[in-house]
Amino acid sequence: MKRALITGITGQDGSYLAELLLQKGYEVHGLVRRASTFNRGRIDHLFSDVNAPRLPISLHYGDLGDSSSLGHVLQTVRPDEIYNLAAQSHVGVSFDMPEYTGDITGVGTTRLLEALRTSGVASRFYQASSSELYGLAQEDRQDEATPFYPRSPYGCAKAYAFYLTRNYRESYGIYAVNGILFNHESPRRGENFVTRKITLSLARILAGKQQCLYLGNLEARRDWGYAPEFVWGMWKMMQQEKPQDFVLATGRTASVREFLEMCLRHARIPFDRRGKNKEEIYVDARTGKTIVAVDPHYYRPSEVDFLLGDASKAKKELGWEAKTTVEELAKIMLEADCEEEGVDLKVQ
């Protein structure tokens, strides 16, 4: 039985990856930070069914900011595969906490790779890279050869981690790969990420629990895919004979505005747009109430206006291709949040 260690197992990608690996017969180990409160809602179901056979999954305390804990976990688990998904992963927050973001998202990868190098454990290593590496995109479609131009402390930290992963592969012969994943979403996405913020807020507005949704730049365009499909791509990268870096993307792009309006239409909320730029609002045409407003607070010091990935290499060499459209993704996420908030979309 193969063993896998997942850092960031309590996050969106970590939880879907844990499910996938368990289905494939792995023994799964997750690295979690010790805290005064539990944040394991995305993986509780893997432990809670008392009537089912216990799944081969274990959690270990550790932190990308603490080298000794990483070394201890590696020696204890001795994994065949390591998936480094942990990070300070919110772009907006990285402007407020640049030093912390650099330490955990960037230098934390150094600590983990160095722990692997010195441990003697023969493990394959996956680094979660990001389309934020491209930032001010230098080409209309971004692939593995597109130059990086990060536009945030988060993007800069991810660039450092990307090159370090490649360096350890070339310098020490470690099987280490970078997965440059474009935006991928799901009902498990964090509530402060814009797609989930939209679907959860609209569900709460429909439930009468929230009055208005506040957003920043509505014109930013992203390549949005479905997270469970992307974690399958991560696993495929780790099964190749030789380590390579891959882009995973849908090859389609939509703006924040377009995603918002997809959700409004699916929620059957008739709307009118009023005002322009930072004064723009969306009004419920039935009630006249403002339900969406632009708030300059959510604008970033430097914006990433357009990202569109080219996953041709992954399709050719991994047999991977995104299947879920952004319209389907918006529907999946909105329906999940409405169900959680007790809203029946059929009667709206």
Side-chain angles (χ1 to χ4, degrees), residues 36-49:
S36 58
T37 58
F38 285 99
N39 181 27
R40 302 179 188 176
R42 297 182 181 95
I43 58 172
D44 275 347
H45 64 287
L46 300 176
F47 298 90
S48 60
D49 190 348

Side-chain angles (χ1 to χ4, degrees), residues 77-191:
V77 175
R78 304 192 72 81
D80 299 288
E81 296 173 4
I82 299 169
Y83 294 85
N84 184 30
L85 311 185
Q88 189 302 98
S89 59
H90 194 273
V91 175
V93 170
S94 76
F95 285 101
D96 297 323
M97 304 178 68
E99 183 179 347
Y100 176 77
T101 300
D103 183 49
I104 299 303
T105 305
V107 181
T109 305
T110 308
R111 297 186 184 103
L112 186 53
L113 279 166
E114 188 63 8
L116 174 60
R117 184 184 72 83
T118 59
S119 69
V121 175
S123 177
R124 296 186 171 195
F125 181 88
Y126 173 87
Q127 170 60 22
S129 290
S130 166
S131 59
E132 290 291 325
L133 292 169
Y134 299 116
L136 186 61
Q138 303 299 290
E139 297 175 354
D140 291 340
R141 297 173 68 90
Q142 298 92 52
D143 62 15
E144 293 81 3
T146 302
F148 297 156
Y149 197 139
R151 297 268 284 171
S152 66
Y154 170 77
C156 293
K158 281 293 187 180
Y160 172 86
F162 174 93
Y163 285 119
L164 193 80
T165 299
R166 179 179 285 181
N167 182 263
Y168 270 67
R169 177 170 75 214
E170 295 174 352
S171 299
Y172 303 115
I174 294 173
Y175 189 108
V177 301
N178 287 288
I180 307 174
L181 274 57
F182 280 65
N183 292 64
H184 47 287
E185 321 294 310
S186 76
R188 298 183 190 175
R189 190 59 145 148
E191 295 178 13

Side-chain angles (χ1 to χ4, degrees), residues 325-342:
T325 67
V326 67
E327 292 84 2
E328 292 167 337
L329 177 63
K331 183 174 183 287
I332 289 168
M333 294 177 66
L334 181 66
E335 289 182 347
D337 279 325
C338 283
E339 182 178 357
E340 186 69 22
E341 296 297 325

Side-chain angles (χ1 to χ4, degrees), residues 25-67:
Y26 280 66
E27 179 182 307
V28 173
H29 296 261
L31 188 75
V32 295
R33 289 177 295 170
R34 186 180 293 277
S36 58
T37 58
F38 285 99
N39 181 27
R40 302 179 188 176
R42 297 182 181 95
I43 58 172
D44 275 347
H45 64 287
L46 300 176
F47 298 90
S48 60
D49 190 348
V50 295
N51 297 316
R54 189 180 184 282
L55 294 171
I57 179 171
S58 303
L59 300 180
H60 306 263
Y61 286 117
D63 196 301
L64 290 184
D66 178 40
S67 300

